[in-house]
Amino acid sequence: CVWTLTAVIRETLRDALLPKAGVLKKLLAPLDAVLEGFYNAILFHHFDSHHYTSPYSEAANNLISFTDLLEALLASRTELELPLRCQRVLFLKVSYVLNLISSSVPYVIKKKFILLLKKCVLHKSREDAKSGSVSLQTLPLCEDMLALSNAVLQVVNLTWLNQIPLDEKSSYFGSSEPAPGDDSQGGSDQTVLRALSLVLLKALEFKIHNSAAEAQIK
């Protein structure tokens, strides 16, 4: 079901002739509450069980499929004047994702969610996407970005970053060995390192721009 819904959303976004807003609203509005409940049910529990020890397990595969659905929902929100709750839940309840990233799930799942967070902080509203501006003036997106920024800064202020592995095996395609003449830079996954850095910098930037009190900025 998750795979099918993801495929339908993606194909709708690709089809230049379809009235995307109408189709997406008709598709997602009846599922709005269901998808938020699904988000809560899937992500709001402990991921340290044996079900997630292997990236090839059914539980891990389901989680990867759900990540793809969240990515499709994020991409689809620019098509609607007012985003649905299921398109906002990733921002508003991002703490679930942050907890998952610091859990013991396989590295491939952590990486997918980190890259999804990167897409969240780079997301633009409908008006911004058309104009090329990055003002984030649309009210729902401002609220969502502020919620995401607060959650990210809160966990980073604790020990969250120290719990994120930078798996050296993910730095190279099909091998843990660097290519000849390649600087391995300590074997860390530079893609994840850049994504995490960008998420933190964007969260700081948005928080500072939207903090009235000088004490909050400090």
Side-chain angles (χ1 to χ4, degrees):
C1 290
V2 168
W3 185 91
T4 303
L5 183 58
T6 304
V8 171
I9 294 171
R10 285 176 172 169
E11 287 305 315
T12 303
L13 293 174
R14 287 194 194 107
D15 196 326
L17 301 176
L18 274 180
K20 295 184 180 64
V23 172
L24 288 168
K25 194 166 185 178
K26 192 174 182 179
L27 173 69
L28 297 175
L31 296 172
D32 202 18
V34 175
L35 288 172
E36 183 177 1
F38 205 36
Y39 181 93
N40 296 339
I42 288 180
L43 298 184
F44 187 57
H45 70 88
H46 299 291
F47 287 95
D48 299 322
S49 74
H50 67 280
H51 297 295
Y52 296 95
T53 52
S54 167
Y56 306 107
S57 69
E58 185 180 357
N61 193 43
N62 290 340
L63 206 50
I64 289 171
S65 296
F66 190 60
T67 316
D68 293 336
L69 175 60
L70 291 174
E71 188 176 334
L73 289 170
L74 175 66
S76 70
R77 69 176 279 165
T78 52
E79 300 298 332
L80 302 183
E81 290 287 350
L82 283 174
L84 298 167
R85 180 81 181 180
C86 65
Q87 296 170 312
R88 302 181 63 189
V89 68
L90 181 58
F91 292 83
L92 301 176
K93 297 184 178 179
V94 72
S95 58
Y96 295 5
V97 171
L98 298 174
N99 289 337
L100 181 147
I101 290 170
S102 61
S103 73
S104 61
V105 296
Y107 183 75
V108 64
I109 297 175
K110 293 176 189 269
K111 183 169 182 174
K112 277 185 76 74
F113 273 101
I114 289 169
L115 295 178
L116 184 58
L117 286 182
K118 175 187 168 185
K119 290 184 178 181
C120 284
V121 299
L122 294 176
H123 189 72
K124 298 177 183 179
S125 70
R126 188 176 184 178
E127 291 75 15
D128 294 335
K130 288 178 179 176
S131 66
S133 164
V134 288
S135 61
L136 295 179
Q137 291 173 347
T138 309
L139 183 60
L141 189 54
C142 280
E143 291 174 355
D144 294 353
M145 279 299 300
L146 195 55
L148 184 145
S149 299
N150 285 335
V152 167
L153 294 175
Q154 190 175 1
V155 295
V156 168
N157 205 31
L158 301 172
T159 59
W160 184 78
L161 277 177
N162 297 336
Q163 301 171 52
I164 313 302
L166 295 173
D167 193 325
E168 59 184 359
K169 293 180 181 178
S170 297
S171 297
Y172 310 104
F173 191 81
S175 170
S176 61
E177 298 298 320
D182 184 27
D183 180 10
S184 67
Q185 301 190 43
S188 60
D189 186 336
Q190 297 300 302
T191 303
V192 168
L193 191 59
R194 284 194 297 270
L196 280 172
S197 301
L198 183 62
V199 169
L200 178 54
L201 287 170
K202 284 289 185 182
L204 272 171
E205 178 188 39
F206 196 82
K207 180 67 174 173
I208 289 170
H209 287 169
N210 290 273
S211 296
E214 189 176 343
Q216 272 190 317
I217 296 175
K218 287 183 179 179

PDB file of all heavy atoms in Angstrom, residues 18 25 29 45 49 61-62 66 76 83 90 109 111 113 119 181-182 187-188 206:
ATOM      1  N   LEU A  18      -1.458  16.851 -16.068  1.00  0.00           N
ATOM      2  CA  LEU A  18      -2.444  16.683 -14.993  1.00  0.00           C
ATOM      3  C   LEU A  18      -2.628  17.964 -14.185  1.00  0.00           C
ATOM      4  O   LEU A  18      -1.666  18.692 -13.945  1.00  0.00           O
ATOM      5  CB  LEU A  18      -1.992  15.583 -14.034  1.00  0.00           C
ATOM      6  CG  LEU A  18      -2.351  14.139 -14.355  1.00  0.00           C
ATOM      7  CD1 LEU A  18      -1.795  13.229 -13.273  1.00  0.00           C
ATOM      8  CD2 LEU A  18      -3.851  13.953 -14.460  1.00  0.00           C
ATOM      9  N   LYS A  25      -5.063  16.615  -3.985  1.00  0.00           N
ATOM     10  CA  LYS A  25      -6.007  16.863  -2.894  1.00  0.00           C
ATOM     11  C   LYS A  25      -7.052  15.753  -2.819  1.00  0.00           C
ATOM     12  O   LYS A  25      -7.407  15.282  -1.734  1.00  0.00           O
ATOM     13  CB  LYS A  25      -6.679  18.223  -3.087  1.00  0.00           C
ATOM     14  CG  LYS A  25      -7.414  18.706  -1.854  1.00  0.00           C
ATOM     15  CD  LYS A  25      -7.766  20.175  -1.957  1.00  0.00           C
ATOM     16  CE  LYS A  25      -8.379  20.656  -0.652  1.00  0.00           C
ATOM     17  NZ  LYS A  25      -8.700  22.102  -0.689  1.00  0.00           N
ATOM     18  N   ALA A  29      -6.443  14.009   0.719  1.00  0.00           N
ATOM     19  CA  ALA A  29      -7.338  14.544   1.754  1.00  0.00           C
ATOM     20  C   ALA A  29      -8.059  13.446   2.542  1.00  0.00           C
ATOM     21  O   ALA A  29      -8.102  13.497   3.779  1.00  0.00           O
ATOM     22  CB  ALA A  29      -8.338  15.527   1.139  1.00  0.00           C
ATOM     23  N   HIS A  45       8.238   4.550  18.386  1.00  0.00           N
ATOM     24  CA  HIS A  45       8.535   3.417  19.256  1.00  0.00           C
ATOM     25  C   HIS A  45      10.039   3.161  19.212  1.00  0.00           C
ATOM     26  O   HIS A  45      10.783   3.821  18.495  1.00  0.00           O
ATOM     27  CB  HIS A  45       7.736   2.166  18.854  1.00  0.00           C
ATOM     28  CG  HIS A  45       8.149   1.550  17.560  1.00  0.00           C
ATOM     29  ND1 HIS A  45       9.134   0.609  17.477  1.00  0.00           N
ATOM     30  CD2 HIS A  45       7.699   1.730  16.289  1.00  0.00           C
ATOM     31  CE1 HIS A  45       9.279   0.220  16.231  1.00  0.00           C
ATOM     32  NE2 HIS A  45       8.433   0.890  15.479  1.00  0.00           N
ATOM     33  N   SER A  49      15.135  -3.096  18.688  1.00  0.00           N
ATOM     34  CA  SER A  49      14.791  -4.517  18.717  1.00  0.00           C
ATOM     35  C   SER A  49      15.523  -5.275  17.615  1.00  0.00           C
ATOM     36  O   SER A  49      16.101  -4.683  16.699  1.00  0.00           O
ATOM     37  CB  SER A  49      13.281  -4.705  18.552  1.00  0.00           C
ATOM     38  OG  SER A  49      12.911  -4.450  17.209  1.00  0.00           O
ATOM     39  N   ASN A  61      12.918  -2.953   5.610  1.00  0.00           N
ATOM     40  CA  ASN A  61      12.433  -2.679   4.256  1.00  0.00           C
ATOM     41  C   ASN A  61      11.173  -1.817   4.288  1.00  0.00           C
ATOM     42  O   ASN A  61      10.998  -0.904   3.472  1.00  0.00           O
ATOM     43  CB  ASN A  61      12.166  -4.000   3.534  1.00  0.00           C
ATOM     44  CG  ASN A  61      11.969  -3.808   2.048  1.00  0.00           C
ATOM     45  OD1 ASN A  61      12.693  -3.058   1.412  1.00  0.00           O
ATOM     46  ND2 ASN A  61      10.973  -4.459   1.499  1.00  0.00           N
ATOM     47  N   ASN A  62      10.278  -2.111   5.242  1.00  0.00           N
ATOM     48  CA  ASN A  62       9.066  -1.303   5.399  1.00  0.00           C
ATOM     49  C   ASN A  62       9.405   0.135   5.769  1.00  0.00           C
ATOM     50  O   ASN A  62       8.769   1.086   5.299  1.00  0.00           O
ATOM     51  CB  ASN A  62       8.162  -1.918   6.473  1.00  0.00           C
ATOM     52  CG  ASN A  62       7.530  -3.219   6.022  1.00  0.00           C
ATOM     53  OD1 ASN A  62       7.455  -3.499   4.828  1.00  0.00           O
ATOM     54  ND2 ASN A  62       7.085  -4.019   6.967  1.00  0.00           N
ATOM     55  N   PHE A  66       8.604   3.563   3.749  1.00  0.00           N
ATOM     56  CA  PHE A  66       7.912   4.685   4.384  1.00  0.00           C
ATOM     57  C   PHE A  66       8.709   5.980   4.195  1.00  0.00           C
ATOM     58  O   PHE A  66       8.132   7.055   4.023  1.00  0.00           O
ATOM     59  CB  PHE A  66       7.684   4.398   5.869  1.00  0.00           C
ATOM     60  CG  PHE A  66       6.772   5.385   6.535  1.00  0.00           C
ATOM     61  CD1 PHE A  66       5.467   5.560   6.097  1.00  0.00           C
ATOM     62  CD2 PHE A  66       7.214   6.148   7.599  1.00  0.00           C
ATOM     63  CE1 PHE A  66       4.615   6.477   6.707  1.00  0.00           C
ATOM     64  CE2 PHE A  66       6.369   7.062   8.217  1.00  0.00           C
ATOM     65  CZ  PHE A  66       5.069   7.227   7.772  1.00  0.00           C
ATOM     66  N   SER A  76       5.261  16.907  -2.794  1.00  0.00           N
ATOM     67  CA  SER A  76       3.924  17.250  -3.293  1.00  0.00           C
ATOM     68  C   SER A  76       3.316  18.475  -2.621  1.00  0.00           C
ATOM     69  O   SER A  76       2.327  19.019  -3.112  1.00  0.00           O
ATOM     70  CB  SER A  76       2.979  16.053  -3.111  1.00  0.00           C
ATOM     71  OG  SER A  76       2.686  15.846  -1.735  1.00  0.00           O
ATOM     72  N   PRO A  83      -0.954  23.224   2.594  1.00  0.00           N
ATOM     73  CA  PRO A  83      -0.561  21.815   2.703  1.00  0.00           C
ATOM     74  C   PRO A  83      -1.443  21.064   3.697  1.00  0.00           C
ATOM     75  O   PRO A  83      -1.926  21.631   4.678  1.00  0.00           O
ATOM     76  CB  PRO A  83       0.888  21.889   3.198  1.00  0.00           C
ATOM     77  CG  PRO A  83       1.017  23.222   3.842  1.00  0.00           C
ATOM     78  CD  PRO A  83       0.088  24.131   3.100  1.00  0.00           C
ATOM     79  N   LEU A  90       6.026  15.609   9.023  1.00  0.00           N
ATOM     80  CA  LEU A  90       7.470  15.384   9.099  1.00  0.00           C
ATOM     81  C   LEU A  90       8.175  16.559   9.784  1.00  0.00           C
ATOM     82  O   LEU A  90       9.141  16.372  10.525  1.00  0.00           O
ATOM     83  CB  LEU A  90       8.032  15.182   7.689  1.00  0.00           C
ATOM     84  CG  LEU A  90       9.529  14.915   7.552  1.00  0.00           C
ATOM     85  CD1 LEU A  90       9.934  13.670   8.339  1.00  0.00           C
ATOM     86  CD2 LEU A  90       9.896  14.728   6.088  1.00  0.00           C
ATOM     87  N   ILE A 109      19.295   3.178   6.709  1.00  0.00           N
ATOM     88  CA  ILE A 109      18.051   3.847   7.094  1.00  0.00           C
ATOM     89  C   ILE A 109      18.352   5.203   7.717  1.00  0.00           C
ATOM     90  O   ILE A 109      17.693   6.203   7.411  1.00  0.00           O
ATOM     91  CB  ILE A 109      17.238   2.965   8.064  1.00  0.00           C
ATOM     92  CG1 ILE A 109      16.818   1.665   7.364  1.00  0.00           C
ATOM     93  CG2 ILE A 109      16.021   3.710   8.590  1.00  0.00           C
ATOM     94  CD1 ILE A 109      16.105   0.676   8.261  1.00  0.00           C
ATOM     95  N   LYS A 111      20.862   7.056   7.072  1.00  0.00           N
ATOM     96  CA  LYS A 111      21.300   7.943   5.991  1.00  0.00           C
ATOM     97  C   LYS A 111      20.115   8.478   5.195  1.00  0.00           C
ATOM     98  O   LYS A 111      20.066   9.668   4.863  1.00  0.00           O
ATOM     99  CB  LYS A 111      22.273   7.187   5.067  1.00  0.00           C
ATOM    100  CG  LYS A 111      22.852   8.053   3.952  1.00  0.00           C
ATOM    101  CD  LYS A 111      23.994   7.348   3.249  1.00  0.00           C
ATOM    102  CE  LYS A 111      24.609   8.228   2.172  1.00  0.00           C
ATOM    103  NZ  LYS A 111      25.806   7.623   1.566  1.00  0.00           N
ATOM    104  N   PHE A 113      17.059   8.970   6.205  1.00  0.00           N
ATOM    105  CA  PHE A 113      16.332   9.964   6.995  1.00  0.00           C
ATOM    106  C   PHE A 113      17.127  11.267   7.140  1.00  0.00           C
ATOM    107  O   PHE A 113      16.542  12.351   7.155  1.00  0.00           O
ATOM    108  CB  PHE A 113      15.975   9.394   8.372  1.00  0.00           C
ATOM    109  CG  PHE A 113      14.667   8.646   8.381  1.00  0.00           C
ATOM    110  CD1 PHE A 113      14.640   7.266   8.348  1.00  0.00           C
ATOM    111  CD2 PHE A 113      13.458   9.327   8.415  1.00  0.00           C
ATOM    112  CE1 PHE A 113      13.439   6.569   8.347  1.00  0.00           C
ATOM    113  CE2 PHE A 113      12.246   8.646   8.405  1.00  0.00           C
ATOM    114  CZ  PHE A 113      12.236   7.265   8.379  1.00  0.00           C
ATOM    115  N   LYS A 119      16.425  17.654   2.718  1.00  0.00           N
ATOM    116  CA  LYS A 119      15.407  18.130   1.773  1.00  0.00           C
ATOM    117  C   LYS A 119      14.376  19.019   2.472  1.00  0.00           C
ATOM    118  O   LYS A 119      13.845  19.958   1.875  1.00  0.00           O
ATOM    119  CB  LYS A 119      14.724  16.945   1.092  1.00  0.00           C
ATOM    120  CG  LYS A 119      15.648  16.220   0.122  1.00  0.00           C
ATOM    121  CD  LYS A 119      14.943  15.097  -0.617  1.00  0.00           C
ATOM    122  CE  LYS A 119      15.906  14.452  -1.616  1.00  0.00           C
ATOM    123  NZ  LYS A 119      15.291  13.362  -2.385  1.00  0.00           N
ATOM    124  N   GLY A 181      44.284   6.845  -5.223  1.00  0.00           N
ATOM    125  CA  GLY A 181      44.563   8.281  -5.220  1.00  0.00           C
ATOM    126  C   GLY A 181      43.502   9.107  -4.537  1.00  0.00           C
ATOM    127  O   GLY A 181      43.617  10.331  -4.463  1.00  0.00           O
ATOM    128  N   ASP A 182      42.458   8.472  -4.004  1.00  0.00           N
ATOM    129  CA  ASP A 182      41.361   9.201  -3.358  1.00  0.00           C
ATOM    130  C   ASP A 182      41.717   9.482  -1.915  1.00  0.00           C
ATOM    131  O   ASP A 182      42.228   8.625  -1.209  1.00  0.00           O
ATOM    132  CB  ASP A 182      40.068   8.384  -3.443  1.00  0.00           C
ATOM    133  CG  ASP A 182      38.876   9.141  -2.864  1.00  0.00           C
ATOM    134  OD1 ASP A 182      38.918  10.379  -2.892  1.00  0.00           O
ATOM    135  OD2 ASP A 182      37.924   8.489  -2.410  1.00  0.00           O
ATOM    136  N   GLY A 187      37.835   8.312   6.360  1.00  0.00           N
ATOM    137  CA  GLY A 187      36.880   7.247   6.161  1.00  0.00           C
ATOM    138  C   GLY A 187      35.451   7.615   6.477  1.00  0.00           C
ATOM    139  O   GLY A 187      34.578   6.764   6.456  1.00  0.00           O
ATOM    140  N   SER A 188      35.175   8.861   6.778  1.00  0.00           N
ATOM    141  CA  SER A 188      33.801   9.248   7.124  1.00  0.00           C
ATOM    142  C   SER A 188      32.967   9.447   5.864  1.00  0.00           C
ATOM    143  O   SER A 188      33.487   9.740   4.792  1.00  0.00           O
ATOM    144  CB  SER A 188      33.798  10.524   7.960  1.00  0.00           C
ATOM    145  OG  SER A 188      34.384  11.585   7.250  1.00  0.00           O
ATOM    146  N   PHE A 206      17.403  29.822  10.579  1.00  0.00           N
ATOM    147  CA  PHE A 206      15.972  30.100  10.666  1.00  0.00           C
ATOM    148  C   PHE A 206      15.581  30.532  12.069  1.00  0.00           C
ATOM    149  O   PHE A 206      14.765  31.442  12.245  1.00  0.00           O
ATOM    150  CB  PHE A 206      15.162  28.868  10.250  1.00  0.00           C
ATOM    151  CG  PHE A 206      13.730  29.202   9.941  1.00  0.00           C
ATOM    152  CD1 PHE A 206      13.385  29.715   8.697  1.00  0.00           C
ATOM    153  CD2 PHE A 206      12.749  29.039  10.894  1.00  0.00           C
ATOM    154  CE1 PHE A 206      12.060  30.058   8.413  1.00  0.00           C
ATOM    155  CE2 PHE A 206      11.418  29.367  10.616  1.00  0.00           C
ATOM    156  CZ  PHE A 206      11.084  29.884   9.373  1.00  0.00           C
TER     157      PHE A 206
END
